[in-house]
């Protein structure tokens, strides 16, 4: 089988290409390199022993997409391509809606015109907004608190309506909680541009001396130690979740949504402690004011994916910190 992987040179897409390859599924990567490097392709070769087909292109380019789908047939599209910075989305909402929402509609049009009926979509726990109960299951009310989150809510709605309009369509929305970690080879990992927004890459850059200290955004939340709690999931577990979703629903149709998380939350201070253990050094940190828009606590009820996909996470927080540290040491400046 062969699948088109949009955004496939990005953090999660590239790791998913490894899992697809290991499952005997051929990935063809489409990426505009707006937030990734072509060097990822050679790293994937070192890990998988072959160079995946790569097309430099944009999901918003209808003509290019039509050409791609006419030149080769695909069993599905794994759709990772998006802009994903929450803060940036608040400053540039139209850019986020144009890229993430309009881009997906253009992709769906090209898929429909060429009889590609299955899509696996990268969604986010951010579609749940402020948790009304925990753990969060797939029945939790949907909302968002920023344009990025709304772009994910909108795409999910578009996918659901698309499936409603055509009984042949299958759309699986995978709602990621907090992806972290790196491939165990140390050859592939997350390379955020500029100052990392996310906790784990910021800790890793502090550990390697690139940042002076970690700012802990708030120590007065209603959590065990007062710091924010999240459901961190190893990127390779996440990648395997994509393969499980695709292989378990090949004969199905309709819109389906699954949480991809561990079901366990860890606080900021617990993550710092785990990283200290992995890197065998104290990670300097300071308490700082809460970050605007942050929630106190968020973790998944991942039982639906376990029941329907036979998938559950295997890797621990120690695997996540160890693999992140190995990657950060190998490539302190990223790829
Ligand atoms: P990433 O930025 O590393 O990867 C996204 C890739 O898409 C990049 O390689 C970028 O160059 C490409 N891209 C962006 N716009 C494009 C376009 N118009 N045409 C073609 N390529 C385009 O991000 P990631 O962390 O790998 O996230 C992948 C997906 O998972 C995104 O949809 C993101 O919203 C979603 N997600 C990420 C997280 C997270 O914490 N990383 C959490 C939940 C959901
Ligand atoms: C985790 C915890 C912070 C940085 C974001 C997006 C979400 C998704 C995943 C795309 C929080 C604290 C962080 C720092 C800190 N991305 N923190 N110091 O905010 O849960 O989710 O990434 O879909 O949409 O919102 O992840 O890693 O930014 O924060 O104390 O320097 O770490 O307050 O409690 P978040 P994060």
């Amino acid at each position: 089988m062969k699948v088109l992987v949009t955004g496939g040179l990005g953090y999660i897409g590239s790791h998913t290409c490894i899992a697809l390859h290991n499952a005997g599924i051929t990935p063809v990567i489409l990426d505009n390199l707006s937030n990734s490097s072509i060097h990822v392709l050679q790293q994937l070769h070192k890990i998988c022993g072959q160079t995946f087909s790569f097309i430099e292109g944009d999901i918003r380019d209808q003509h290019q997409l039509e050409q791609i789908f006419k030149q080769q047939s695909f069993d599905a599209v794994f759709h990772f391509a998006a802009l994903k910075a929450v803060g940036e989305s608040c400053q540039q909402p139209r850019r986020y809606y144009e890229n993430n929402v309009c881009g997906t509609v253009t992709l769906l049009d090209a898929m429909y015109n060429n009889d590609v009926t299955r899509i696996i979509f990268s969604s986010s726990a951010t579609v749940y907004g402020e948790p009304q109960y925990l753990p969060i299951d797939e029945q939790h009310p949907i909302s968002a608190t920023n344009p990025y989150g709304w772009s994910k809510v909108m795409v999910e709605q578009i996918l659901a309506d698309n499936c409603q309009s055509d009984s042949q369509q299958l759309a699986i929305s995978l709602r990621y909680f907090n992806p972290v970690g790196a491939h165990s080879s140390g050859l592939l990992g997350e390379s955020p541009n500029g100052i990392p927004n996310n906790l784990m890459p910021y800790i890793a850059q502090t550990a390697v001396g690139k940042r002076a200290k970690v700012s802990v955004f708030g120590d007065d939340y209603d959590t065990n130690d007062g710091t924010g709690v999240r459901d961190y999931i190893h990127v390779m577990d996440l990648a395997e979740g994509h393969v499980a979703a695709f292989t378990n629903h090949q004969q199905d149709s309709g819109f389906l949504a699954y949480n991809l998380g561990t079901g366990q939350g860890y606080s900021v201070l617990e993550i710092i402690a785990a990283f200290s253990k992995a890197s065998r050094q104290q990670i300097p940190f300071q308490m700082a004011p809460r970050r605007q828009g942050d929630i106190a606590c968020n973790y998944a009820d991942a039982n639906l994916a376990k029941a329907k996909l036979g998938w559950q996470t295997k890797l621990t927080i120690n695997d996540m910190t160890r693999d992140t540290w190995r990657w950060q040491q190998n490539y302190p400046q990223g790829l």
Side-chain angles (χ1 to χ4, degrees):
M1 284 191 286
K2 180 165 69 172
V3 299
L4 182 69
V5 183
T6 76
L9 290 189
Y11 172 44
I12 301 171
S14 56
H15 286 80
T16 303
C17 284
I18 296 168
L20 288 165
H21 170 77
N22 293 341
I25 300 167
T26 302
V28 174
I29 297 169
L30 171 71
D31 202 306
N32 70 358
L33 300 175
S34 61
N35 197 37
S36 54
S37 162
I38 191 66
H39 299 310
V40 170
L41 211 51
Q42 68 197 50
Q43 302 300 91
L44 288 171
H45 184 122
K46 291 175 190 171
I47 294 166
C48 299
Q50 70 176 71
T51 298
F52 297 134
S53 173
F54 169 66
I55 303 163
E56 184 173 354
D58 199 303
I59 60 169
R60 295 168 292 182
D61 184 338
Q62 174 92 33
H63 176 71
Q64 183 183 26
L65 288 175
E66 292 286 349
Q67 293 304 309
I68 291 168
F69 285 120
K70 282 176 173 45
Q71 285 162 6
Q72 46 188 329
S73 64
F74 296 100
D75 296 286
V77 172
F78 284 64
H79 182 29
F80 296 94
L83 300 173
K84 61 159 183 175
V86 169
E88 186 181 63
S89 78
C90 296
Q91 308 306 319
Q92 304 175 36
R94 293 187 309 282
R95 177 172 171 237
Y96 270 67
Y97 291 131
E98 193 268 341
N99 193 75
N100 295 1
V101 181
C102 300
T104 301
V105 173
T106 301
L107 174 66
L108 291 171
D109 281 344
M111 288 173 64
Y112 184 81
N113 295 340
N114 295 278
D115 299 321
V116 180
T117 60
R118 287 175 287 193
I119 185 168
I120 314 294
F121 172 60
S122 298
S123 190
S124 167
T126 204
V127 303
Y128 294 121
E130 180 81 29
Q132 294 178 20
Y133 57 80
L134 290 169
I136 292 183
D137 62 16
E138 288 83 353
Q139 308 313 311
H140 186 283
I142 299 295
S143 73
T145 56
N146 55 74
Y148 164 73
W150 281 117
S151 79
K152 292 299 182 182
V153 171
M154 291 173 188
V155 170
E156 286 204 359
Q157 187 60 53
I158 290 163
L159 293 173
D161 291 341
N162 204 38
C163 292
Q164 193 67 35
S165 73
D166 174 359
S167 61
Q168 300 303 309
Q169 300 289 327
L170 171 69
I172 303 176
S173 186
L174 301 178
R175 295 168 179 167
Y176 311 163
F177 277 68
N178 286 64
V180 296
H183 188 260
S184 58
S185 65
L187 295 172
L188 199 62
E190 187 176 9
S191 300
N193 287 333
I195 300 173
N197 295 310
N198 294 136
L199 178 65
M200 191 68 85
Y202 201 103
I203 293 174
Q205 289 190 11
T206 302
V208 81
K210 195 172 175 183
R211 307 288 165 200
K213 61 176 73 173
V214 179
S215 294
V216 178
F217 296 147
D219 62 356
D220 57 352
Y221 286 108
D222 183 15
T223 62
N224 285 343
D225 61 18
T227 64
V229 170
R230 297 290 185 275
D231 186 332
Y232 298 93
I233 175 171
H234 196 295
V235 66
M236 286 313 297
D237 272 332
L238 193 65
E240 294 297 342
H242 287 73
V243 175
F246 174 55
T247 54
N248 279 275
H249 284 296
Q250 289 189 62
Q251 309 309 325
D252 297 330
S253 62
F255 176 79
L256 304 163
Y258 291 100
N259 287 342
L260 296 188
T262 67
Q264 178 167 6
Y266 284 95
S267 74
V268 176
L269 292 179
E270 287 171 330
I271 297 297
I272 291 174
F275 209 98
S276 288
K277 180 181 168 190
S279 60
R280 296 195 175 95
Q281 61 180 299
Q282 287 309 310
I283 307 290
F285 66 88
Q286 64 185 4
M287 291 303 169
R290 292 182 176 192
R291 181 172 63 178
Q292 189 180 3
D294 273 355
I295 57 179
C297 185
N298 196 14
Y299 57 94
D301 176 336
N303 287 312
L304 186 65
K306 183 177 179 182
K308 298 289 188 184
L309 306 180
W311 170 91
Q312 62 184 351
T313 56
K314 304 183 184 79
L315 298 170
T316 68
I317 200 69
N318 291 325
D319 296 316
M320 297 175 212
T321 50
R322 181 203 63 222
D323 292 343
T324 303
W325 178 232
R326 184 184 301 111
W327 157 252
Q328 186 68 65
Q329 283 183 294
N330 290 347
Y331 297 91
Q333 304 307 325
L335 284 178

